Amino acid sequence: MSWGMNNRLARIIKPKTGKTVMLAVDHGYFMGPTTGLERLNEMVDPLLPHADVLMPTRGALRQYIPPKTDVPIVLRVSGGTSILNENLLHEGITVSMEEAIRLNVAGVAFSIMVGAKFERDTLLGFTQVIDDAERYGIPVIAVTAIGKDMVRDARYMALASRIAAELGARIVKTYYVEGFEKVVESCPVPIVIAGGKKIPEADALKMAHNAIQAGAVGVDMGRNIFQSEDPVAMIQAVKAVVHEDATPKEAYELFTNLKAKKE
Ligand code: 5RP
């Protein structure tokens, strides 16, 4: 692995703990003005000091994030369908590698849809991005999704994650499911979990904790942070779970204490 690739991976997965808290704010590329991100900069500014990595789209990065920001960027480089389209996640390449380099990214993220009629398109777009990115030592993070008729379980998440790694992903982002050890064990590259739809804070912290216990290296979490009753308190609680091995109870207490201080 080249020095550049290793260095970028070390900016994403912190060498001190071998873990990462990535803050996903890329939702607008298929969901439009997502609740909490309407004025993305106002949401993200106070969260940035607590995030190891920020995952935006190119437009959001340019318009909302000041270039002086020193948080590493993992740029969303896939898209092409919206939530209004029945073939959601039939995605292709939306950003060239030249542009990603110009934006000084630490990595790029691409969604693959395994088990959908159009899976081949997304997998071939993904490998095209990997070929381009590897040339410059840029890691590609696979965001795995499975066909809508498939149950989100360990068997299918392991299948999608392993395919992503076999095709060249350096990191895999997937969903936490019961039996997550199976997903981690059969995937030869580090795994981070997405948060998914907003759930109560205590449940989201438990999910993050279970994922870490099962061997995930961190989270790439969006809605469960920025749609929280207190996003700044929530990201700090997530950080305690990921980097300090806090139990869900300890992390939830931290969340409520931090939140209470502001009230
Ligand atoms: C879509 C995505 C999202 O845009 C986002 O990054 C997910 O974050 P969360 O589910 O935690 O809100 O990856 O496939």
Side-chain angles (χ1 to χ4, degrees), residues 67-205:
K68 281 190 180 160
T69 304
D70 60 5
V71 176
I73 301 297
V74 165
L75 188 70
R76 158 70 63 182
V77 296
S78 68
T81 54
S82 76
I83 36 167
L84 303 179
N85 191 314
E86 59 175 30
N87 289 328
L88 178 64
L89 289 176
H90 187 167
E91 298 188 357
I93 303 169
T94 54
V95 182
S96 69
M97 212 40 62
E98 186 191 357
E99 170 78 333
I101 292 165
R102 198 160 32 236
L103 293 167
N104 196 29
V105 301
V108 295
F110 192 102
S111 282
I112 58 168
M113 185 61 150
V114 172
K117 269 197 285 211
F118 50 82
E119 70 174 2
R120 183 172 188 274
D121 291 351
T122 67
L123 294 177
L124 294 185
F126 176 58
T127 48
Q128 175 66 58
V129 164
I130 291 172
D131 278 339
D132 293 346
E134 291 274 330
R135 199 169 297 133
Y136 303 104
I138 296 176
V140 179
I141 289 132
V143 182
T144 59
I146 53 166
K148 53 180 173 223
D149 303 330
M150 296 155 85
V151 243
R152 247 194 222 173
D153 64 11
R155 183 170 146 235
Y156 283 125
M157 295 330 286
L159 177 108
S161 300
R162 180 61 180 255
I163 288 173
E166 296 267 354
L167 293 180
R170 294 287 184 172
I171 299 174
V172 167
K173 169 175 174 173
T174 188
Y175 288 92
Y176 178 77
V177 287
E178 210 165 300
F180 200 64
E181 291 80 3
K182 179 180 157 67
V183 182
V184 176
E185 274 161 21
S186 56
C187 181
V189 300
I191 292 197
V192 294
I193 60 152
K197 283 191 184 140
K198 171 78 177 68
I199 53 178
E201 279 79 1
D203 295 344
L205 292 167

Side-chain angles (χ1 to χ4, degrees), residues 24 26-27 29-30 55 76 111 143 173 194-196 220-223:
D26 58 326
H27 305 61
Y29 88 95
F30 72 107
M55 180 167 145
R76 158 70 63 182
S111 282
V143 182
K173 169 175 174 173
D220 185 12
M221 198 175 259
R223 288 162 288 181

